Amino acid sequence: MFQREKSRYIFTICFFGVLVKFYSAEKFGNHPATIFDAQRMCLEDGIEGPQRYDALFEGASRVLNDLELVQDRVSTASLARIHSPQLLDFYRAMEKNGFNPPLPDSFPPPGISIEPENLLARYGRHCTDTQSPLTREYYTEALRSAYAAELAAKEIDSGDAYVLCRPPGHHAGRDFFGGFCFLNNAALAAEILSKKGSVAVLDVDFHHGNGTQDIFYKRKDVAVFSLHGDPAWSYPYFQGYESEKGSGEGTGYNFNYPLEETISKQEYFSVLEQALKDVADFNPKYLIVSFGADTYKEDPVGGLSLDVQDFSQLGSMLGALQLPSLIIQEGGYAVSMLPDIVENFLQGFLKK
Ligand SMILES: [Zn+2]
């Protein structure tokens, strides 16, 4: 599947001397996780399932073949750089309890930060929704994905990388998780790179990267730029507004570009152009792309106006920044189209 000839071709023709590596956590298990659909009042198989892994892998391996398959799990010490001790302790307690209960049923009122002893209550304390069941398989995949992101960040001097993370991570904040995200892969990579220079995290998933925003909101060495469906009508609803610009030292280093539901392709790329100008003004040493394929027009969860071939333009516009880059996979749920979307995006990016 991974032919060296293909690699040389890309390297010579498209790449201008930059090697792009493909990191992936090895797939673990084949479980559909059950979520509670609050609109239809029923339990159903989650849309963020292992079938996404196969589709993403297929797309990336059409373009990249220098693959590092990761089995190891990220350490607690690494996770403690971006997540709170309380959240990590909750994960440990869930693991010890056989990942029971399956979903939370109580959520704290705003401003309450009490950490109850009751595990079900702690679930609601840290989880923001009913769509993120913490199962053994999910958690294992999350630990491996975070390790893949960590590895890619540590090896960035050897070239850009695409990191197949599944489940995604950008909805996991310092002290909370949700939206199928348990550990913030992009934030871990950004945190590691920030020790060597400033980092821009550019989130082009359909949904606002509220977890990433939360983790870096008070910092000026990691600036966060997110284009997403306006939270007025789109998950995660409570964050992602233009007025959120960072706080303290981080004021002016958080950029949100909420998009109308009916935005045209041309308008989308013009907002992206503005975001890229803002990234360039920040003048980062490194770029992390939180890449979601759910801006595809028929994505069952997101969906803007982008067609499959438009992802090539998206990739090439990001590649044109000419920065040492990590592409971290976030969402994208139109499984049958994911291979083509990822292939187009990476090929566009490689034209840099
Ligand atoms: Zn998304």
Side-chain angles (χ1 to χ4, degrees), residues 159-177:
D160 298 346
Y162 166 77
V163 192
L164 199 177
C165 294
R166 202 224 123 236
H170 70 154
H171 296 307
R174 181 162 296 282
D175 195 39
F176 63 83
F177 68 99

Side-chain angles (χ1 to χ4, degrees), residues 168 170-171 179-181 203-208 235 292-295 299 301-302 330-333:
H170 70 154
H171 296 307
F180 319 139
C181 301
D203 191 318
V204 291
D205 185 276
F206 171 84
H207 303 95
H208 175 238
Y235 185 92
D294 45 6
T295 47
D299 188 279
V301 175
E330 302 288 355
Y333 306 94

